Amino acid sequence: MKRIFDPVHRFIELEDGEARLLDLPQLQRLRRLRQLGLAYLAFPSAEHSRFTHALGALAIGSRAFDSIARHGASFFSDSRQVAYQRRLVRAALLLHDVGHGPFSHACEAVLGVRHEDRTKELLALPDLRAALEALDVEPDDILALVLGDPRTRYPALRELVSGPNLDADRMDYLQRDAYFTGVVSGRFDVEQLLESLRLYERDGNLVLGIDSRGVVALESFVTARYMMFASVYFHHTTRVFEHILHEVLQELWPNPRALDAIDEFLRWDDFRVLNELGSVKTEAAQALRERVRVYVLAAEFNAESDLRAFEACERSLRERYGPENVWSDEQSQVMHRLPLVADASRPTVWVGTPAGLVDARVASDLIAKLSGNAYWRKLFVRRTAVDVAEARKLCALMVASLQRA
Amino acid sequence: MKRIFDPVHRFIELEDGEARLLDLPQLQRLRRLRQLGLAYLAFPSAEHSRFTHALGALAIGSRAFDSIARHGASFFSDSRQVAYQRRLVRAALLLHDVGHGPFSHACEAVLGVRHEDRTKELLALPDLRAALEALDVEPDDILALVLGDPRTRYPALRELVSGPNLDADRMDYLQRDAYFTGVVSGRFDVEQLLESLRLYERDGNLVLGIDSRGVVALESFVTARYMMFASVYFHHTTRVFEHILHEVLQELWPNPRALDAIDEFLRWDDFRVLNELGSVKTEAAQALRERVRVYVLAAEFNAESDLRAFEACERSLRERYGPENVWSDEQSQVMHRLPLVADASRPTVWVGTPAGLVDARVASDLIAKLSGNAYWRKLFVRRTAVDVAEARKLCALMVASLQRA
Amino acid sequence: MKRIFDPVHRFIELEDGEARLLDLPQLQRLRRLRQLGLAYLAFPSAEHSRFTHALGALAIGSRAFDSIARHGASFFSDSRQVAYQRRLVRAALLLHDVGHGPFSHACEAVLGVRHEDRTKELLALPDLRAALEALDVEPDDILALVLGDPRTRYPALRELVSGPNLDADRMDYLQRDAYFTGVVSGRFDVEQLLESLRLYERDGNLVLGIDSRGVVALESFVTARYMMFASVYFHHTTRVFEHILHEVLQELWPNPRALDAIDEFLRWDDFRVLNELGSVKTEAAQALRERVRVYVLAAEFNAESDLRAFEACERSLRERYGPENVWSDEQSQVMHRLPLVADASRPTVWVGTPAGLVDARVASDLIAKLSGNAYWRKLFVRRTAVDVAEARKLCALMVASLQRA
Amino acid sequence: MKRIFDPVHRFIELEDGEARLLDLPQLQRLRRLRQLGLAYLAFPSAEHSRFTHALGALAIGSRAFDSIARHGASFFSDSRQVAYQRRLVRAALLLHDVGHGPFSHACEAVLGVRHEDRTKELLALPDLRAALEALDVEPDDILALVLGDPRTRYPALRELVSGPNLDADRMDYLQRDAYFTGVVSGRFDVEQLLESLRLYERDGNLVLGIDSRGVVALESFVTARYMMFASVYFHHTTRVFEHILHEVLQELWPNPRALDAIDEFLRWDDFRVLNELGSVKTEAAQALRERVRVYVLAAEFNAESDLRAFEACERSLRERYGPENVWSDEQSQVMHRLPLVADASRPTVWVGTPAGLVDARVASDLIAKLSGNAYWRKLFVRRTAVDVAEARKLCALMVASLQRA
């Protein structure tokens, strides 16, 4: 038994086999991948790693599992099944981010390999397989949970591990990112949410849901996620550097195929990228390393109704300053699960009421109203080429004239 | 200068004159009025008083004032005006709850006198007047802020003191109630909200608003309020005892007019009520004092669409158990400002954008979507007269049959 | 199963029988006894009750018990013994303060009956006995733990319940008082302390101790207690009102014997005392109710070496202003367990090391150095009769002249 | 004006000139130096950088300066002096760690150049000089504060910046390290300590001290520091890797003189070291990068009286396993300022009392008792070469036999 201290979850206990899994270089590497990528350039203290998040996900996932097992004993054939599935959830959460490269999404975009595929390769490595066998869990069961494979034997556990709505991954990262940035509005009523988790049977399948007494906790979970996107994940400073990062990684990795081999891929982490930037002489690389803001915010549009204003301003700025000096950042497409699903035909979260299971949009007006997309559109101009005050004024006048119209 | 320590705002500093005001018996009495009335029967640690809230409102109101004065210097004729208005806001917030009786709303309902009228009388008392004069503030200016008088000379300060949307009263109580109950989802991004407060001119009038960079903080403020209502203020246990309380106060004060005189009124506080219950022998009085739950929740309905189900269940329960054994608690009417206004024609919060002032519902999709009423309807049955399990089942079947229909 | 939310320990779960015990009027009465008595006159938010403390002590006591049971399985004959002792510890902690009167120590001093004796009488009341029997615990076993009876069958549990060094009572109240006053230095490393608790056998007896990895946590526990005494419990404002309280209670209870009967005694609580002060017309009663500071601090002496200065100043003040206008507050005698024992011959806390059990003073230099008395001596003068500035100067000159000598 | 959010101090405001200073590559480099070096190998979340600490020190140093300026107006010739000294303190705190290399002490030991000398060189660089001049502060004044030069024109500010007892450096790092590790016992009563800071004149010199009402806060500050050393800074896991690090840096930098040039030196940071370890093939390098514990704790000795036991065990282990397989870690020498000074003849902290200035050891029994050294001695054995259980037993028997003697 090993005990690790964490400011979010206090002591986290690991079985010896779990500790050995965690000690593998492939997992220790998570210490060199930051949970929030470049967000530290807007929130300096957001320097926490995917390693602490993996531990935290295991910790909260175990509490979540214990809650559903306690309330849903009849869904388990015997205590060995409970123990097996608990080991499974814990190992899967420890491993769920292991396939990420430096700066995650940017890395995927540049290299063209999804982190899920990397994870698959990683879990096939001999030392990882051996560690999982020593833990007495099936690597394939793990893989199905981590990849969210619909054919898993454990569909409710898959939801607990990889979502899309009630996953331990998010339960940890919202709390952790709130703690390390200091943004209090990212906190939610985790105690009540955990206590309300339930297994339900729905059309012959096992699903993860909540008891109706947990509806307010679920609402707090959903709004906390929204708040963190609005405050932190899409902060304009973060977005600027993520934009630059893409360019920089292309310079750094002129031949993406060179990182196809898993061994080569694993040699890369955030620290190495930041380090190698020191010798890349392009403006973008220096900007990223020394936090030089190449682009400055000219205008932002966060309401659905702003689309026309956004497009008009974008056009004006491009005409006035040239398209190469304007960067337009639209975030609606990645937001399809915010707050819950946009696709109104798919169920969100099942809520157990005395009258049977209902969708969370039926149980909660707040969730019903918040369903749909959220939009974050930002217009940036290149600082060295554009008179920023003028650009801002140009946008303001455009918006004002549209509002009057 | 006096320094008082508070767990929410750390040190709170009072000028000598403010400390003397606070030392008056009419303000010390606030120590014996609880901020959350009977909520401690559901959240045992919610034992904090209106006294600490008054101090907290002064503390956060001062920070809010300093923020608007710093950003809106041009709205003040000179530094003496700034100093005068600051003294005004502080004194008004210290006094804003001074007219409340024991258990506030229940007391008003039974005695038939609004706390605003009591406040008026209280501020006319010689020692209070003297204390205000010693502070060099006009009692009438104070009164206008506390009562929300539209004819005040200081309309923006009135919003800061008595709302309806950006008041220091709520900024303190949400944080304080969250701290003392432990409900984390009541916390909001207070730092950013304070920093974003602004004075604006709108159609020739001074209004209180926020800079557009504070929109997410405003969203967090609005949802925090919703969360506290849903979790704490309308908790079913609290509601049961508030219901009983009404009956008990009628027993205790058979002649409401006897408390008309302000001196007599001020002799009453929560502690005295709880104490005198010890000698009242009715079931209700004992229930309140010893936390005997006379009513038990049979069903609750929190979505707008539940109205039909609510009414059907109410009818069934009344038929089955007799109307005297069923209590139906509907909270929509008192909710008219939740999350913001229901009346779509009135402005909510003015948001300053580069393109001019816009309503918060324009600036924020979340606020737009959350506008309107929230509903909390609950059906309770009398524990000694009704088979609770049966009553719950009866409601569940009714709801299920309506859902199928 | 009943779940109660607490800001210090989050959800606290009670078995149905425990919930019924808690619902008895004798326990609900704890809601009207404040944990820190009059400290709210110095720290306004210190309004929390013994009721929340009783719940909190149960919560942390359960975790402590689980820790010693997990590490010391061999000390229990079987799982039924574990379950029985756990029930015992929980019930005892729920009941441990039930014999306190209003304002605890002052009440004992005036009425001349120790709270332990009240507890004994209370536990003999039929409804309490019945509730304990329904919980399947022996009332006599409970009594022995609560009273710290050396003849108990469960000596280690007695230490856990009533100390003197590693009790759940203190583990809760330090955290709770720190939370409700906001004094951060009262917090200690509770996670590590709980994890380090152990049962040991020493000269044939079972004792409660800690594993050597918990020494720093124990040091933090000891210094947190010291800090709370220095900052809160002996704050000069609190002490002034406690002094006045004694006088007031004597007025209120001219015949202490009238409260000998347990039924009559139980009719009294803090709220009733504060309420009845409203009709007592003495200066002391009004001072207490309205927080009028009758005495003001003239000088304080917190170091052991100050004894001579203290006595010299006391003499001077009495000579100059008359003994009736000087109140000298010496706190050394009640401090005999601060930080640990003063009596160097008695063991403190047993620490399990690889080399065997050693006393905490051997395992920790810090604890060794802090053993002994702490002193808080304060000189107050009556505000209406004494020129305070002059009195302070007089003391300062006296101290300065002694320092030069 | 630029506002940066920090979880410890909330918003930190920077003047434009300060923001430009912070944007220099030499300061951005602090993002790649961790505040706690290798402590993250024992406390995974201790990943915070010297960059956030520099900001935090500026934040708390400003509050400390404002407190002494408010209470000690007479010590400043005019408001321009106040403004100048405030700028000075802020810039000095922002820069105080700028001369550190990767892993600080280990780097100094291997390269043989003190960080103070690096700082001196850095402050002479043209862009830093220019940034300081733009801030209107004298680089030499900054240097004197940062280096703790006794000839500074501002001796009290020097204490505020570089200690040894009341420095903003420590006020920030204790709070910050407590926050990021989660170790609560590292927190102290910062509000009261700041409020109590004072300037005093002593033998014609200006000194930094505290008002006597801050004595308990000072005690909490001193014990918090002790707790952090005992729990975090000297955690046995941290110490093992610091030991290995020394060896690794020697491999990495076979020619220390190559890093003498400041430009070359600045190219190194924690991230680069960790990155380059990936290609060093020694056991130590891999151990550090992948957290392989080469040494395991066999015994530890934290009390002064343990010296004999420590030496006896050390001797036994060396004899039994060979000196190359035993590492003995003694920390007393670096502890000369813990809790305060060891040298009894030097003053600690001046405390202003009504009777004049006294040393903190006179004002506080706790501080008097804690003066002197603290000892942390640990014996480690090489995991691959030694039977750890046997080694531990050997030490335990040795200690037990000495205790019996």
Side-chain angles (χ1 to χ4, degrees), chain B residues 5 7 10 179, chain C residues 174-175 177-179 181-188 224 227-228 231-232, chain D residues 175 184-192 220:
Chain B
F5 197 73
R10 325 310 298 168
Y179 189 89
Chain C
L174 286 181
Q175 287 190 85
D177 298 344
Y179 188 88
T181 57
V183 174
V184 299
S185 46
R187 294 179 67 190
F188 61 95
M227 293 294 161
M228 289 304 284
S231 303
V232 178
Chain D
Q175 287 190 86
V184 298
S185 46
R187 294 180 66 191
F188 60 97
D189 187 352
V190 63
E191 303 295 324
Q192 181 69 53
S220 80

Side-chain angles (χ1 to χ4, degrees), chain A residues 7 31 34 40 43-49 52 179-181 271, chain D residues 6-9 29-41 43-56 97 103 169-170 172-183 228 232-233 270-271:
Chain A
R31 295 186 187 267
R34 284 195 169 148
Y40 72 93
F43 293 85
S45 61
E47 301 175 317
H48 53 300
S49 66
T52 62
Y179 188 88
F180 284 93
T181 57
F271 292 6
Chain D
D6 174 70
V8 177
H9 304 295
R29 172 181 168 268
L30 295 175
R31 294 186 188 268
R32 298 186 295 275
L33 297 181
R34 285 193 168 148
Q35 175 64 15
L36 289 186
L38 295 170
Y40 72 92
L41 293 166
F43 293 85
S45 62
E47 302 175 317
H48 54 301
S49 67
R50 289 186 181 276
F51 184 84
T52 62
H53 165 58
L55 278 170
D97 272 350
F103 307 106
D169 179 12
R170 189 188 309 170
D172 180 72
Y173 78 64
L174 286 181
Q175 287 190 86
R176 186 165 303 279
D177 298 344
Y179 189 89
F180 285 93
T181 55
V183 174
M228 289 305 285
V232 178
Y233 308 152
D270 292 15
F271 292 6

Side-chain angles (χ1 to χ4, degrees), chain C residues 2 4 7 78 90 114 123 135 150 152 172 180 190 221 228 269 275 290 301 308 324 365-366 399 403:
Chain C
K2 182 179 176 142
I4 299 176
D78 56 26
R90 288 169 63 89
R114 295 182 324 134
L123 289 196
L135 261 180
T152 176
D172 180 72
F180 285 94
V190 62
F221 186 48
M228 289 304 284
D269 53 46
N275 188 44
E290 312 300 359
F301 307 84
R308 227 176 101 227
E324 72 284 8
D365 283 355
L366 185 138
V399 173
Q403 280 171 357

Side-chain angles (χ1 to χ4, degrees), chain A residues 286-304:
Chain A
Q286 288 316 303
L288 195 60
R289 186 169 154 97
E290 311 300 358
R291 199 187 180 280
V292 182
R293 280 186 298 150
V294 177
Y295 291 96
V296 177
L297 189 69
E300 61 182 320
F301 307 84
N302 299 325
E304 200 169 349

Side-chain angles (χ1 to χ4, degrees), chain C residues 77-129:
Chain C
S77 55
D78 56 26
S79 67
R80 287 184 50 205
Q81 261 306 304
V82 173
Y84 181 75
Q85 294 188 27
R86 194 175 196 273
R87 289 201 302 278
L88 213 53
V89 164
R90 288 169 63 89
L93 286 166
L94 216 44
L95 290 162
H96 80 285
D97 273 350
V98 92
H100 279 286
F103 306 107
S104 190
H105 303 294
C107 170
E108 284 190 17
V110 170
L111 297 182
V113 182
R114 295 182 324 134
H115 69 91
E116 289 88 349
D117 296 325
R118 305 284 196 190
T119 301
K120 219 165 173 170
E121 264 192 274
L122 266 155
L123 289 196
L125 292 177
D127 45 358
L128 269 158
R129 267 200 108 71

Side-chain angles (χ1 to χ4, degrees), chain B residues 305-351:
Chain B
S305 59
D306 282 341
L307 185 58
R308 225 174 104 227
F310 167 70
E311 285 169 355
C313 290
E314 186 184 27
R315 212 176 314 117
S316 300
L317 291 179
R318 285 179 192 272
E319 277 167 22
R320 175 86 181 78
Y321 303 112
E324 74 283 8
N325 290 321
V326 176
W327 173 52
S328 133
D329 182 34
E330 256 182 286
Q331 289 296 331
S332 61
Q333 82 283 10
V334 300
M335 280 299 82
H336 64 281
R337 285 202 336 252
L338 183 84
L340 287 162
V341 294
D343 175 358
S345 67
R346 289 181 49 199
T348 60
V349 167
W350 289 111
V351 178

